Amino acid sequence: MPSGILLLDKPRGLSSNAALQRVKHAFGAAKAGHVGSLDPLATGMLPICLDEATKIAGEIVAGAKRYEFTIALGARTSTGDVEGAVVETAPVPSLDRADVETMLAARVGVQQQVPPMYSALKRDGRPLYELARQGLEVERPARAITIHALTLEALRGDAIDLAVECSKGTYVRTLAEDLARALGTAGHVSRLHRAWVAPFEGEAMHTLEAVQAACREGVPPALLPIERAMPGRPALVLSVAAVARVRQGQAIGRADLPASAAGLPAATAVCIVDGSGGLVGLGEIDGFGGLRPRRIFRS
């Protein structure tokens, strides 16, 4: 069965789960999961973890992301994007590029953001978007997010094109509404593209059509190896005996670890590797300099 990560260029008009199911079916995978949802209107990078790679989805979801988007100015919608009904209109003032860039620069850094009602966050087990579709609104606590970079790509009268690099949990639709408000008008997202998800900056993406065609022809796209999702994590090469113990979930004492483990502080996350370079699992250095397995992959 295939195990690894596919970087899908999700097409517009398809939900993340629908895209996931089509990729899973094309590969004939037993298990699959996507990392970070994209709205149906959004396009761009959707990492899909197949089979054993599903065990490290949480390692990827915490990473930074880059979005390229357009704010249509003059109207705010119920959903924050073009799929919602217009709930507010406002005149669009004449915008000066230098003033817009100054405003954007002031919004870089750590800040609080209230998640939108049209989101997959849950209240009493129900997604907020289900409540929103019933016309209900509930209080949502603000959450800390980080805007690493926010740049103006184009200024087009009644629309502006932007790019943002941000932390996990950032809602671009809410950001767009806040930016439009700061410009003295209302706005909503009319285009949204996720350029990358860390640590896959610069990696090529596969279209859904190309994936399905390649799988039908028996030559599926090569998957990224699991360890590609964890660049910079120390790799500890264990002996055959130690690997056998790890596969049984047993901890490994400091004396049975390679010299490369010396000096690693407690709680350091590591990759566990066998003598042939195969990834055995993920682990963590304990308070005594030993190794505790956390996730084990099938051989």
Side-chain angles (χ1 to χ4, degrees):
M1 301 299 291
S3 285
I5 303 161
L6 178 83
L7 301 180
L8 182 71
D9 185 358
K10 189 191 81 67
R12 182 170 178 143
L14 201 63
S15 72
S16 293
N17 185 61
L20 167 70
Q21 296 304 325
R22 295 184 189 187
V23 170
K24 179 182 177 182
H25 180 266
F27 275 90
K31 296 184 295 182
H34 62 74
V35 178
S37 295
L38 284 173
D39 295 335
L41 77 84
T43 62
M45 186 177 288
L46 183 67
I48 293 181
C49 299
L50 298 175
D51 288 325
E52 288 295 277
T54 58
K55 296 177 180 178
I56 54 90
E59 307 285 338
I60 305 171
V61 74
K65 302 167 181 66
R66 176 184 170 90
Y67 295 93
E68 296 161 356
F69 62 106
T70 297
I71 306 176
L73 300 173
R76 182 172 64 87
T77 69
S78 58
T79 58
D81 56 36
V82 292
E83 296 184 340
V86 174
V87 295
E88 176 190 355
T89 60
V92 180
S94 177
L95 300 176
D96 175 77
R97 187 179 186 91
D99 291 340
V100 174
E101 289 177 337
T102 297
M103 182 273 291
L104 295 177
R107 278 156 176 76
V108 173
V110 179
Q111 55 200 266
Q112 298 291 312
Q113 185 184 70
V114 176
M117 278 299 299
Y118 278 89
S119 68
L121 295 177
K122 292 185 178 180
R123 171 66 62 86
D124 298 328
R126 298 182 62 191
L128 290 182
Y129 62 76
E130 287 187 1
L131 301 177
R133 288 169 181 166
Q134 296 174 13
L136 303 176
E137 182 164 352
V138 297
E139 184 177 356
R140 289 96 63 203
R143 304 190 301 178
I145 62 167
T146 302
I147 302 298
H148 302 293
L150 184 58
T151 56
L152 176 63
E153 301 292 308
L155 188 59
R156 299 184 284 109
D158 60 352
I160 55 174
D161 297 330
L162 303 166
V164 62
E165 295 179 18
C166 55
S167 67
K168 168 192 174 183
T170 302
Y171 287 91
V172 176
R173 286 172 290 144
T174 299
L175 176 64
E177 290 180 342
D178 293 343
L179 294 177
R181 193 176 300 112
L183 293 172
T185 184
H188 62 274
V189 172
S190 60
R191 176 186 66 94
L192 180 60
H193 176 76
R194 187 155 67 191
W196 50 255
V197 174
F200 305 118
E201 302 94 318
E203 292 278 4
M205 291 184 277
H206 301 272
T207 66
L208 181 58
E209 294 80 1
V211 169
Q212 292 173 315
C215 289
R216 283 195 300 269
E217 294 169 5
V219 285
L223 300 176
L224 294 177
I226 293 172
E227 53 267 35
R228 178 64 184 80
M230 298 164 287
R233 180 173 294 197
L236 300 185
V237 182
L238 302 189
S239 67
V240 173
V243 166
R245 288 164 56 192
V246 163
R247 290 201 178 281
Q248 295 175 15
Q250 298 178 18
I252 306 298
R254 180 171 57 184
D256 293 325
L257 294 181
S260 58
L264 291 178
T268 298
V270 300
C271 291
I272 304 170
V273 180
D274 62 23
S276 63
L279 184 64
V280 175
L282 306 180
E284 183 178 277
I285 300 298
D286 63 25
F288 302 98
L291 171 67
R292 293 189 179 277
R294 296 302 185 198
R295 291 186 179 88
I296 306 302
F297 303 113
R298 292 196 307 265
S299 56

